[in-house]
Amino acid sequence: MKNTALTDIHVKAGAKMVPFAGYNMPVQYAGINAEHETVRKGVGVFDVSHMGEFILKGENALDLIQRVTSNDASKLYDGKVQYSCLPNEDGGIVDDLLVYRIDEKTYMLVVNASNIEKDWNWISKFNTNGVEMKNISDRTSLLAIQGPKAAEALQSLTSIDLASMEYYTFKKGTFAGIDNVVVSATGYTGAGGFEIYFDNDNAEQIWEAIFKAGEPFGIKPIGLGARDTLRLEMGFCLYGNDIDDATSPLEAGLGWVTKFSKEFTNSAALQQQKQDGISKKLVGFEMIDRGIPRHDYEIVDADGNVIGKVTSGTQSPSLQKAIGMGYVNKEFAKEDAEIFIKIRDNKVKAKIVKPPFYKA
């Protein structure tokens, strides 16, 4: 089990620690609902240093990214971030990721913790033109400071004008007295905020500076439990739940990051799937009757026929109702369609809704 550079701090703060993607991670401190509320209304800090970071550098770096990712990275400019995915050769997804353009010949890829080795090997397989690749995951810390008060809480720590940063952009600068920190505005909560990347050696100094600067704004540490409820309220996919090696980006509603203006891994087959039409689709739903949907629960029709399965589900802290996502046969994917979730052999009524579930 790996630790992040901040594990001891989490333990001292009373965090409940759990194994996640091979790391010892804080799942909650004060409780998931309270932490969820802190991020929606104020500002909270997630340690997400378990995520992976790769640097791709050289004349052919963009060409390699274009070949392995579904989105069109040629649209990026210095300081711009792009959401994308790595399609496999069988119609599924190796991983979803973020692509950061540092300069014309240098990119940073941010991948999911559970897929670091898998993604590295996959991209390396296509690196036939001498792109310099560095896996900096083990020496890089990543904090996500999320919530509507994030810019105010952090501004005293940097000369970067945080409030003016556009969504899916980043800047490099000095943060909490540390040089060469990457500050980005992407986010996985729908509450606004920033992610900061820095060397492990500076982790404790930056953590302490953030909490000192954020104290007047009620800043709190937040665990991965609230991260999951926050992302689900926005309808954001979680790799291993909502997307995986067997789900196509088109089925997952990721057609917007699947650009057929270029060739990439399995692009011809995916283009054919787009023309032929998909047979199943990832949808959002909310429960009408009482019951909480969980991963892998069956989705059935009124007659009890299996029409799909739940990929993510929870009791939404913001909405005070149970919500979920799952794949259903395409004919059941229409908004407001009635479906049933099989919970302990009972059919529990739900209806299809269009994410995000939570609208700020």
Side-chain angles (χ1 to χ4, degrees), residues 66-105:
Q66 289 288 68
R67 282 195 284 152
V68 297
T69 66
S70 62
N71 209 339
D72 186 358
S74 72
K75 304 291 186 189
L76 290 169
Y77 49 84
D78 294 358
K80 182 66 177 166
V81 189
Q82 184 181 76
Y83 178 66
S84 193
C85 73
L86 300 169
N88 64 24
E89 291 164 318
D90 305 311
I93 299 170
V94 177
D95 202 5
D96 62 336
L97 75 162
L98 296 177
V99 180
Y100 284 63
R101 175 168 149 157
I102 296 167
D103 61 46
E104 191 181 359
K105 297 176 184 176

Side-chain angles (χ1 to χ4, degrees), residues 169-185:
T169 64
F170 72 96
K171 292 184 178 178
K172 266 188 176 185
T174 301
F175 186 94
I178 304 298
D179 293 332
N180 207 35
V181 173
V182 171
V183 179
S184 76

Side-chain angles (χ1 to χ4, degrees), residues 114-142:
S114 56
N115 292 334
I116 293 171
E117 185 179 357
K118 172 187 170 190
D119 292 357
W120 178 266
N121 292 340
W122 179 260
I123 296 165
S124 297
K125 186 172 88 163
F126 294 91
N127 185 14
T128 54
N129 291 320
V131 175
E132 182 187 339
M133 291 177 57
K134 282 185 185 172
N135 182 355
I136 61 168
S137 307
D138 284 344
R139 63 179 176 85
T140 304
S141 288
L142 170 57

